[in-house]
Structures are given as C-alpha cells and as structure tokens.
C-alpha cells in the first residue's frame, strides 16, 4: 500500500484520498461549547443526532448538510481554521506535520485498533436530542491523544 499521505500534500489529494484520511472516530460529530469570555473550547459527549453510536459513522453522510446545515465539511481550504478538531484527528495531525498514529485505519486496515485504543466515541455518547443542557455533558476524553 502506498502511503500517499506522506508523499501527497493535503491540497493535492484526490477526493478519495482525502476522505480516506478520516479515521471515523466521530469526535467531530460531538457538540462543542466555546466560552464567550475566554474562547475556551469544551467538548461534550452529546453527539449529532445523525451519528451512529456503534459504528461512529454518520447515518446520512452524503446528505448530512440537508439534515444538519451547520455541519462542517473538513477541506484542505479550511483545515487551518478548524482548531476545534482533536489532536488525534488525521487531518489535523497531517496539517501540523505529524504522522498518522499506529491505530489509524489506513495503517491497520480497519477501525478496530482505533476503537480498542479508546480513540473513537464508540460507547461514550448520548444523542443530542436527549440533552437539555450541553454544559452538563462536558467531557475531557475527546482531547486525549494516543501517540
């Protein structure tokens, strides 16, 4: 397998290469809170209602903007501005000049190593539709970076 992510700049990747960088952890689907006074970012365990909590995949990925207009597409053009992406995110890691971690599906062939490493949201979320106050759902685990 060619390690295109090492030899190809982010802005030169094909759409298929770009999409394959996503490890499918689901952290970008978590609701986040930004403190108005301090600009501090807080992750919550309240996940987008389209997230499948078991597979950590979007139930309507192709048409997600129809159902969640505020969903953010991660692109080579906006990666620098997406400072809310977790340190474990492949897009963020590569943008910052870091390597993919050993558990990444491009290296292991599937998502199981990522789930086993505790990187994904699998088994850790609640559906945002069942949450009354996001502030009650603040968690630290999405910020943990393994490797």
């Amino acid at each position: 397998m060619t390690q295109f992510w090492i030899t190809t700049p982010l802005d030169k990747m094909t759409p298929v290469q770009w999409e394959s960088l996503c490890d499918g952890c689901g952290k970008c689907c978590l609701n986040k809170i930004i403190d108005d006074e301090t600009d501090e970012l807080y992750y919550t365990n309240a996940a987008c209602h389209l997230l499948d909590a078991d597979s950590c995949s979007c139930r309507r990925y192709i048409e997600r903007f129809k159902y969640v207009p505020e969903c953010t597409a991660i692109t080579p053009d906006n990666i620098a501005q997406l400072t809310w992406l977790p340190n474990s995110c492949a897009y963020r890691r590569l943008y910052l000049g870091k390597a993919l971690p050993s558990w990444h599906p491009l290296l292991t062939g599937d998502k199981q190593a990522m789930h086993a490493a505790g990187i994904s949201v699998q088994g850790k979320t609640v559906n945002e539709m069942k949450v009354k106050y996001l502030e009650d759902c603040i968690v630290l685990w999405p910020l943990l970076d393994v490797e």
Side-chain angles (χ1 to χ4, degrees), residues 43-75:
Y43 277 82
T44 73
N45 66 346
C48 174
H49 65 280
L50 295 180
L51 184 72
D52 181 310
D54 293 324
S55 69
C56 300
S57 299
C58 182
R59 290 185 184 95
R60 302 267 190 242
Y61 185 72
I62 300 299
E63 53 189 3
R64 66 193 183 278
F65 302 110
K66 176 179 168 184
Y67 296 96
V68 183
E70 64 275 12
C71 181
T72 301
I74 301 168
T75 69

Side-chain angles (χ1 to χ4, degrees), residues 38-116:
T38 65
D39 284 336
E40 183 99 23
L41 172 72
Y42 297 96
Y43 277 82
T44 73
N45 66 346
C48 174
H49 65 280
L50 295 180
L51 184 72
D52 181 310
D54 293 324
S55 69
C56 300
S57 299
C58 182
R59 290 185 184 95
R60 302 267 190 242
Y61 185 72
I62 300 299
E63 53 189 3
R64 66 193 183 278
F65 302 110
K66 176 179 168 184
Y67 296 96
V68 183
E70 64 275 12
C71 181
T72 301
I74 301 168
T75 69
D77 294 332
N78 69 4
I79 190 71
Q81 289 78 44
L82 303 180
T83 57
W84 50 264
L85 289 171
N87 291 332
S88 59
C89 176
Y91 297 114
R92 182 174 174 82
R93 291 178 68 95
L94 293 176
Y95 173 76
L96 295 174
K98 296 180 180 180
L100 293 181
S102 62
W103 48 260
H104 194 282
L106 282 173
L107 299 174
T108 64
D110 66 28
K111 293 167 108 178
Q112 292 313 307
M114 174 190 54
H115 295 313

Side-chain angles (χ1 to χ4, degrees), residues 1 3-4 8 13 26 30 35 52 55-56 60 62-63 68 71 83 97-99 107 120-121 136 141 144:
M1 167 181 20
Q3 296 186 335
F4 67 87
T8 308
M13 290 184 182
L30 298 175
D35 186 306
D52 181 310
S55 69
C56 300
R60 302 267 190 242
I62 300 299
E63 53 189 3
V68 183
C71 181
T83 57
K98 296 180 180 180
L107 299 174
S120 76
V121 302
D136 294 339
W141 56 261
L144 301 177

Side-chain angles (χ1 to χ4, degrees), residues 33 42-46 126 130-139:
I33 301 170
Y42 297 96
Y43 277 82
T44 73
N45 66 346
V126 295
K130 297 180 179 180
V131 172
K132 187 170 183 177
Y133 301 110
L134 272 181
E135 295 81 9
D136 294 339
C137 298
I138 292 174
V139 291

